[in-house]
């Protein structure tokens, strides 16, 4: 019996590993880099390696103080290991998602002493559509989520420890995780564990645990202080900008970035739960009814709901911010779903299957109608996108079929439901329409004109995201901005960097002398508010939908 259990456990772990390789690792090299996020993190890390400066972050040679350093370190190490590839750019984010899944497996098994529920929790987490989208995309949220989750797991394990030595070790590790979170995304990594842990201590009447706080604080400082002091010595204005602009103004000020209403995250949470949406109510109810697990369930619900409300109250919002809510949700669902399957309560399992079939079917129908030009005023898939459209239909046909099989075989619904996003992940890179590629993925356009751009002494762009993509592909940090500064405004304010930005009038005055030194290329992103109208006449103008290259050849003197 023990041998059979071990074999079954190994099978489950191998299947999870196979899913992670197929859905997460395999596709990440096959997609172009999105602007502005992915190209930004790729270029910051490339410049870090090129310059050898691992203390002060730079973007296009400018100070870039929006985030701390640890995420860039991980991305830079990835590029050192795998080269300047799309795989390297996304690997740190994807690895963080995989390590979070491993943490969920261990913690769920430790909580429930049931490997099947641990496997179910891990399968839920890896197949959540929001987790998958962020975990295969180069942003810092997947990394900081790993450290936030580890911080809270260490807190709960330490809380249950009976021996002082174990408790001290747990709180020390908690501080290390919090420090790494701080080095990845700043003070928010400290605030979230506090707003979860403190109410739970009140609920359990264990406020005396606060006497161990000094251990966590000490290890957190040991991890974070060396870089914090080093960056202050190298760039004294870093902490003022990072604390005031990136935390106070971004989240609570009237001019907060990405402002959205309080209820913004509710549809994000609902959609992010796919392909498990239909089973969530029944699974949570099933878990809540286990009275002996009530303290565990309260902790997991606090871990899920309190950050959700915290980020909902902030004025600045992005879907990625609530990623930490999905780990505790996956653990709760893993327990509840296995209870439902073991008790053969198929009603909610079948409901979930129908929702996945409906979701996949509606998107297949929508893509067919879009492809035939029967809906929508704008052409999404052009006549040249037949293969991409076919693959896009296959993506959601795979989702529909996984839902159908889980309806047909409810006892195997855990595996089948987790496979819903698999085909989508494998084919997404080839299923994007050219209209989207020519709007948010400029690498194709840049690749077509690498020769002209490499031969240019000066390269300009009217869009920060496009400028960063140029820096990444041309492997040069001296890309200049024309008429737009965006997120680089703070770095450009440095008087030593005035030549990095020109408006239309100053560009026209600067150009004749610059052409004596070499070719000048201006790559523009053609969208309302960005299209330049006062550029001097170029020797060559090369348009392609959303991007245009204005090429000025070097002036030769007799």
């Amino acid at each position: 019996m023990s041998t059979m259990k071990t074999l079954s456990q190994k099978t489950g772990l191998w299947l999870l590993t196979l899913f992670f390789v197929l859905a997460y690792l395999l596709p990440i090299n096959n997609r172009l880099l999105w602007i502005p996020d992915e190209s930004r993190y790729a270029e910051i890390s490339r410049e870090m390696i090129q310059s050898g400066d691992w203390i002060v972050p730079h973007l296009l040679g400018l100070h870039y103080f929006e985030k701390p350093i640890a995420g860039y370190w991980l991305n830079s190490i990835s590029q050192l290991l795998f080269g300047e590839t799309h795989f390297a750019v996304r690997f740190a984010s994807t690895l963080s998602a995989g390590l979070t899944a491993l943490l969920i497996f261990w913690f769920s098994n430790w909580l429930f002493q049931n490997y099947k529920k641990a496997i179910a929790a891990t399968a839920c987490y890896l197949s959540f559509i929001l987790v998958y989208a962020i975990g295969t995309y180069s942003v810092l949220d997947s990394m900081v989520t790993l450290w936030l989750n580890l911080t809270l797991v260490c807190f709960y394990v330490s809380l249950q420890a009976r021996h002082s030595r174990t408790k001290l070790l747990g709180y020390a590790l908690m501080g290390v995780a919090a420090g790494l979170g701080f080095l990845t995304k700043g003070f928010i990594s400290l605030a979230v564990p506090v707003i979860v842990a403190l109410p739970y201590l009140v609920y359990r009447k264990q406020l005396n645990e606060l006497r161990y706080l000094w251990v966590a604080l000490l290890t957190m400082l040991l991890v974070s202080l060396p870089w914090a002091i080093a960056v202050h010595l190298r760039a004294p204005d870093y902490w003022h900008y990072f604390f005031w602009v990136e935390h106070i103004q971004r989240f609570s000020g009237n001019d907060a970035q990405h402002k959205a209403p309080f209820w913004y995250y509710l549809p994000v949470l609902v959609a992010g739960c796919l392909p498990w949406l239909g089973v969530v109510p029944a699974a949570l109810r099933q878990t809540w009814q286990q009275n002996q697990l009530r303290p565990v369930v309260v902790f997991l619900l606090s871990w899920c709901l309190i950050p959700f409300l915290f980020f909902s109250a902030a004025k600045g919002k992005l879907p990625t911010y609530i990623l930490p809510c999905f780990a505790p949700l996956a653990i709760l669902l893993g327990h509840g779903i296995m209870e439902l399957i073991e008790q053969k309560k198929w009603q909610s399992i079948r409901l979930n299957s129908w929702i996945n079939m409906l979701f996949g079917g509606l998107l297949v129908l929508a893509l067919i109608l879009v492809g035939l030009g029967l809906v929508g005023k704008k052409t999404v898939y052009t006549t040249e996108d037949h293969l991409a459209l076919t693959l896009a239909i296959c993506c959601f046909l795979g989702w529909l079929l996984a839902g159908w099989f889980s309806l047909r075989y409810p006892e195997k619904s855990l595996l089948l439901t987790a496979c819903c996003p698999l085909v989508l992940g494998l084919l997404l890179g080839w299923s994007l329409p050219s209209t989207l590629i020519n709007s948010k993925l400029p690498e194709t356009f840049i690749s077509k004109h690498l020769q002209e751009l490499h031969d240019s002494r000066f390269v300009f762009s009217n869009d920060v995201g496009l400028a960063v993509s140029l820096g990444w592909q041309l492997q040069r940090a001296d890309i200049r901005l024309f008429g737009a500064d965006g997120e680089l405004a703070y770095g450009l304010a440095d008087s030593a960097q005035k030549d990095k930005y020109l408006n239309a009038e100053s560009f026209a005055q600067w150009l004749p002398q610059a052409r004596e030194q070499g070719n000048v290329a201006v790559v523009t992103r053609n969208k309302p508010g960005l299209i330049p109208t006062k550029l001097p006449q170029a020797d060559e103008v090369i348009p392609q939908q959303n991007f245009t290259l204005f090429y000025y050849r070097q002036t030769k003197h007799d």
Side-chain angles (χ1 to χ4, degrees), residues 20 49 56 427 492:
F20 181 74
I49 296 170
V56 182
L427 299 182
L492 288 167

Side-chain angles (χ1 to χ4, degrees), residues 8 150 459:
S8 181
L150 181 57
V459 179

Side-chain angles (χ1 to χ4, degrees), residues 73-129:
W73 283 343
L74 292 176
N75 282 334
S76 296
I77 292 170
S78 181
Q79 287 187 33
L80 287 172
L81 291 173
F82 304 112
E84 293 173 358
T85 63
H86 296 161
F87 182 90
V89 172
R90 298 183 174 112
F91 178 72
S93 182
T94 301
L95 178 64
S96 297
L99 292 175
T100 300
L102 193 62
L103 178 66
I104 288 170
F105 175 82
W106 178 86
F107 189 48
S108 183
N109 196 38
W110 184 82
L111 287 173
F112 306 127
Q113 297 297 302
N114 188 308
Y115 71 94
K116 289 184 178 179
K117 292 175 180 177
I119 288 173
T122 312
C124 286
Y125 184 77
L126 287 175
S127 56
F128 278 141
I129 194 65

Side-chain angles (χ1 to χ4, degrees), residues 7 12 85 151 184 262 318 374 376 417 427 444 459 484 503 520 535:
L7 287 173
T85 63
T151 302
T184 303
F262 181 83
L318 283 174
L374 300 178
T417 302
L427 299 182
T444 300
V459 179
N503 57 30
V520 178
L535 274 175

